[in-house]
Amino acid sequence: MAATQMAKFKSREYLDLVKSIGECKSKNEEDAIMKNEVVYLKQRLADPKLDKNKLREYLLRLLYVELLGHDASFGHINAVKLCSDPSLVNKKVAYLTTCLFLSENSELLILLMNTMKSDLHSDNYLIVCTSLETVCHLATEDALPLILPSIKELLTHNKELVRKKAVMALHRFYLKASHMIEDYGALCRKVLCDHDPSVMGAALCALYEGIKKDPAPFKNLVKSLLHVLSQIIDRRLPKSYDNHRAPAPFLQIKLLKMLALLGQGDKASSSQMHPVILSCLKNANSGTGIGNALVYECVRTAIAIHPDAQLLSASAAVVAHFLNSSHGGGVAATAANNLKYVALDALGGIVQIDPSYGEKHQLAVIDCLEDPDETLKKKTLELLYRMTTTDNVEIVV
């Protein structure tokens, strides 16, 4: 089926070009093929009666020219012009190649902005999605007043894929010119309540940027974020979001990062977080790679917010488990050392809050000095420096 589709959209010439590039045994052979290709494409693209389907193929061939280090700027205008073609296939290829050919400083972007804005209002949601993807790559700060109103409208589109990409575009604009989106927080709060998990996930990423910049306006979101985290822990999301039996671990990690920022120096907010983070920590400890990553993020969050004795004790227990990881060699040795490294990093944060946890695990920490891994030794010495007191200096030295 795939071969049939390729034959439909690619000529024999195209397939021969790809094959010849793959069979090159030297850079000189490759350069010779590309120089001939450049000459051929310049002739073909200059034809005013060029068929749109052939133009689509020539743009893909032009992409090979650019990827292999040769100048393909003579064909960039053709990619921009094809973006206005009504055919979905032609439009997708045109937008794709335009994103790869042009930078944000290109003068050709002026010709593209009106086409993108028009496509954002298309009846075909696939065209809207394609335009949104291009907006994320190429829209500049100068284009924001033109494009932003359309992006805001699409946040309530009936297709979840469009809503998700609209949130991503809004996020991208915020990174470029946060001062031009005064209602960014309010917009993100609305889409956070979206019933589709993919849209909610995109909203979390967008909100995280706002919280990083200034947590204060988002303090009243703590309950909502904890509710979302609790739902994920209780496996209310579709199984397609699971990773190695962990429910939506990447969303959990993003939520924990946000809670860590919101709970810093805030005892009232932190007290709401403690039971949920403790539940997350207990459920995450599955022994898998993603489970370990989730455990580590829980510990980092417990360290960042106002401390809680029960949560710190549970965090220290999983850190001790990481610290005592054993291995037989090879890949297992690398995995064990990775766990020890994050354990040392996490224990360093716990010790700053309560030094007694350092005393409990100091022998396991000292044992890490015997490991041949230089990075692990350095991290161990840094932790021992912070742990050493007049009472344990003899043991450490």
Side-chain angles (χ1 to χ4, degrees):
M1 182 66 178
T4 304
Q5 289 179 336
M6 178 169 280
K8 182 179 178 181
F9 294 114
K10 312 288 189 302
S11 69
R12 189 66 198 175
E13 280 183 344
Y14 176 87
L15 298 176
D16 287 342
L17 173 66
V18 176
K19 183 181 178 182
S20 63
I21 293 171
E23 292 175 348
C24 287
K25 296 181 179 179
S26 69
K27 178 63 176 171
N28 290 335
E29 285 183 38
E30 185 183 275
D31 288 343
I33 292 172
M34 285 297 100
K35 286 176 182 176
N36 291 333
E37 185 68 12
V38 166
V39 172
Y40 176 75
L41 290 175
K42 280 183 177 179
Q43 293 174 345
R44 300 301 300 138
L45 293 175
D47 184 358
K49 297 181 180 179
L50 181 63
D51 179 69
K52 293 289 179 66
N53 291 333
K54 293 300 292 182
L55 175 57
R56 181 179 68 228
E57 180 187 309
Y58 292 150
L59 289 178
L60 293 176
R61 290 167 68 166
L62 200 66
L63 194 55
Y64 277 93
V65 173
E66 186 116 334
L67 289 171
L68 295 174
H70 295 262
D71 180 31
S73 58
F74 62 88
H76 291 179
I77 185 64
N78 297 87
V80 172
K81 287 180 178 178
L82 191 61
C83 289
S84 59
D85 191 85
S87 165
L88 174 62
V89 177
N90 288 345
K91 192 178 287 289
K92 287 187 76 69
V93 170
Y95 272 130
L96 171 64
T97 50
T98 300
C99 286
L100 295 172
F101 287 150
L102 304 185
S103 70
E104 293 179 358
N105 301 320
S106 175
E107 295 178 356
L108 294 176
L109 286 183
I110 299 173
L111 304 174
L112 189 63
M113 289 305 155
N114 284 328
T115 302
M116 286 196 297
K117 182 174 174 60
S118 174
D119 286 340
L120 289 175
H121 296 280
S122 171
D123 294 332
N124 187 335
Y125 80 96
L126 293 175
I127 290 177
V128 177
C129 289
T130 304
S131 182
L132 283 169
E133 290 163 4
T134 310
V135 165
C136 290
H137 281 90
L138 294 178
T140 61
E141 184 175 332
D142 294 337
L144 196 149
L146 176 69
I147 302 293
L148 185 59
S150 300
I151 300 297
K152 290 181 179 180
E153 289 178 22
L154 292 174
L155 293 174
T156 56
H157 197 275
N158 62 337
K159 286 286 185 180
E160 62 276 2
L161 183 61
V162 174
R163 296 198 301 274
K164 182 182 80 169
K165 291 186 182 295
V167 175
M168 293 167 67
L170 183 68
H171 182 188
R172 181 68 172 161
F173 275 148
Y174 182 77
L175 293 175
K176 285 179 179 293
S178 58
H179 61 281
M180 297 180 70
I181 313 177
E182 296 178 357
D183 55 347
Y184 180 76
L187 292 170
C188 290
R189 287 168 189 265
K190 287 181 181 178
V191 288
L192 182 63
C193 302
D194 197 283
H195 65 273
D196 187 84
S198 67
V199 182
M200 179 195 69
L204 287 175
C205 293
L207 269 172
Y208 178 59
E209 294 298 333
I211 292 172
K212 271 202 307 184
K213 187 173 182 180
D214 182 13
F218 300 96
K219 289 283 186 179
N220 58 358
L221 268 179
V222 170
K223 285 186 178 179
S224 298
L225 296 177
L226 289 173
H227 178 66
V228 173
L229 182 56
S230 297
Q231 285 189 316
I232 295 174
I233 294 170
D234 294 339
R235 298 183 180 275
R236 301 283 181 85
L237 265 61
K239 284 190 175 292
S240 57
Y241 286 84
D242 289 4
N243 186 303
H244 291 278
R245 303 190 303 277
F250 300 106
L251 289 182
Q252 288 193 62
I253 289 172
K254 185 63 70 176
L255 282 162
L256 288 167
K257 286 179 181 289
M258 295 165 75
L259 292 172
L261 292 171
L262 294 170
Q264 284 180 5
D266 189 336
K267 187 176 180 179
S269 295
S270 296
S271 61
Q272 299 176 55
M273 299 177 192
H274 293 150
V276 180
I277 295 173
L278 185 61
S279 174
C280 184
L281 180 63
K282 290 177 179 177
N283 282 279
N285 198 6
S286 61
T288 60
I290 190 64
N292 292 334
L294 194 46
V295 165
Y296 177 57
E297 200 59 51
C298 287
V299 175
R300 289 184 63 190
T301 305
I303 294 167
I305 64 178
H306 193 276
D308 172 73
Q310 186 181 4
L311 185 55
L312 274 183
S313 178
S315 298
V318 295
V319 166
H321 176 69
F322 285 0
L323 204 54
N324 293 311
S325 301
S326 58
H327 57 78
V331 177
T334 303
N337 282 350
N338 289 342
L339 286 179
K340 287 181 179 180
Y341 186 91
V342 297
L344 292 169
D345 183 63
L347 188 58
I350 294 173
V351 165
Q352 287 183 327
I353 299 171
D354 188 343
S356 66
Y357 288 108
E359 296 173 11
K360 293 177 184 177
H361 305 295
Q362 65 184 9
L363 294 179
V365 173
I366 292 171
D367 286 343
C368 291
L369 290 173
E370 304 298 325
D371 196 284
D373 189 320
E374 295 295 330
T375 307
L376 192 61
K377 284 182 181 179
K378 183 181 177 183
K379 193 68 177 177
T380 304
L381 288 171
E382 290 174 359
L383 178 56
L384 287 173
Y385 177 77
R386 277 183 278 175
M387 286 171 51
T388 305
T389 64
T390 53
D391 296 327
N392 66 0
V393 65
E394 291 185 8
I395 298 172
V396 173
V397 175

